[in-house]
Amino acid sequence: MIDEKILALHDEELTHGRIPIDIYPDKPSTFKAMAELMASTIEENNRQGKKTLFIVPLGPVGQYPYFVELVNTKRISLRNVTFINMDEYMTSPTTLIDPNHRLSFRHTMYHLCYNQIDPELIMPESQRIFPDLHNADLIDEVIAAHGGVDICFGGIGITGHVAFNEPPVNQSEEAFLSTRTRVIKITEETRVVNSMDDYQGAFYLMPEYAITIGMKEIYGAKKVRLYCFRDWHRSVIKRAAFGPKDVSFPASLLQSHPDARIGISEFVAARP
């Protein structure tokens, strides 16, 4: 049972959850903070002669223009950087969405990020990894070879999902945290919420399936940084940080992660 009292928490009260919450002045500041962390981590690893491995999302996306500007302006080399994208839509359990479709995460990632970075700075194609039906082992191998993901960036969905790891049915916490890259069926709640931006609320046009990295990859990251900025995130971040730790709301499992944080705007932190 979720205690409704947690929905009344606001402002400074939110900084004391079981997942630490950072509050930024507004939505642009939240995206900028995300981009700056991406860029500064890469810069520091470059200085030390280390490679960088991130898990990156296509929701949120507002960080990418800021990240691109930092990379191009500061001449940050991405040659030793690998991005693993979290997920991708599918038109059936066996068919990835066309990469030219406007809903394709691959399409959006290239449009917002990769194609905007100076070719002298961009990482090779082989270091731009998207989950598909055949590369679950490759993703695990890349992570193992690196010694773990430096930072997993992302958001939190309406059902508490991180990437497309929707709440499981009849699965223990241990089993859920062991899930790898796989095809999942998207919940109706998620399809409705996602349709608000993509199809003006026409949820029936949204894909029913996706391929997603698993909770094993996310929970195994050295750091997890999630960013939330929508009005309905007010309940989501409170349940994640203050509600019970349970597979019924996957983000809450990060309460026991050694270095997980949530970044939100003041709008999300405001009194309901």
Side-chain angles (χ1 to χ4, degrees):
M1 180 66 67
I2 305 302
D3 186 347
E4 288 190 20
K5 292 180 180 179
I6 69 172
L7 295 180
L9 297 172
H10 62 93
D11 297 328
E12 187 67 22
E13 295 171 328
L14 294 175
T15 63
H16 304 295
R18 290 184 289 277
I19 302 176
I21 294 178
D22 302 308
I23 303 174
Y24 301 98
D26 50 32
K27 188 190 296 187
S29 299
T30 308
F31 291 141
K32 285 180 181 178
M34 187 176 181
E36 287 167 358
L37 178 57
M38 293 172 68
S40 63
T41 301
I42 294 168
E43 285 184 298
E44 181 59 29
N45 284 346
N46 284 352
R47 279 193 290 268
Q48 297 184 29
K50 296 179 179 179
K51 296 182 178 181
T52 301
L53 177 61
F54 290 159
I55 291 173
V56 296
L58 253 300
V61 298
Q63 69 280 5
Y64 289 118
Y66 296 113
F67 175 71
V68 167
E69 182 179 9
L70 286 168
V71 169
N72 287 338
T73 302
K74 301 180 74 175
R75 309 304 296 169
I76 302 172
S77 174
L78 304 184
R79 291 293 176 175
N80 288 318
V81 176
T82 298
F83 283 1
I84 300 174
N85 267 81
M86 281 186 156
D87 38 30
E88 179 60 285
Y89 279 128
M90 303 185 70
T91 56
S92 79
T94 58
T95 307
L96 283 168
I97 195 168
D98 188 308
N100 294 313
H101 194 287
R102 69 184 186 87
L103 291 184
S104 167
F105 295 165
R106 178 186 289 268
H107 170 80
T108 303
M109 190 70 184
Y110 271 82
H111 175 69
L112 286 181
C113 184
Y114 294 143
N115 290 347
Q116 308 304 320
I117 293 174
D118 188 322
E120 293 182 1
L121 303 172
I122 194 68
M123 73 279 279
E125 288 275 358
S126 61
Q127 290 162 220
R128 312 173 206 176
I129 300 173
F130 295 82
D132 63 35
L133 295 170
H134 309 291
N135 68 353
D137 289 340
L138 170 65
I139 290 172
D140 284 352
E141 289 166 5
V142 168
I143 293 173
H146 187 76
V149 173
D150 291 300
I151 307 177
C152 172
F153 293 94
I156 306 176
I158 191 70
T159 65
H161 62 84
V162 182
F164 269 122
N165 290 285
E166 299 275 20
V169 178
N170 298 324
Q171 192 171 30
S172 68
E173 178 179 329
E174 180 181 11
F176 186 54
L177 288 176
S178 298
T179 53
R180 302 171 64 223
T181 301
R182 68 206 185 284
V183 176
I184 61 95
K185 185 172 176 60
I186 304 170
T187 64
E188 290 301 305
E189 295 92 334
T190 297
R191 293 178 69 216
V192 169
V193 167
N194 289 358
S195 74
M196 298 302 179
D197 286 335
D198 296 319
Y199 273 126
Q200 305 170 52
F203 64 91
Y204 43 84
L205 296 178
M206 295 298 294
E208 296 184 35
Y209 297 91
I211 188 160
T212 183
I213 62 170
M215 289 300 293
K216 177 183 177 183
E217 291 93 334
I218 294 168
Y219 197 85
K222 298 169 187 176
K223 298 179 181 181
V224 179
R225 297 292 184 267
L226 307 178
Y227 297 83
C228 299
F229 50 90
R230 301 183 187 279
D231 52 0
W232 52 265
H233 276 138
R234 288 173 170 166
S235 66
V236 166
I237 60 103
K238 292 166 186 174
R239 186 170 177 185
F242 293 89
K245 184 169 74 75
D246 190 85
V247 294
S248 63
F249 202 76
S252 70
L253 299 180
L254 293 170
Q255 291 177 12
S256 57
H257 189 279
D259 193 351
R261 302 186 74 90
I262 299 172
I264 64 174
S265 65
E266 286 187 359
F267 169 77
V268 177
R271 181 187 293 274

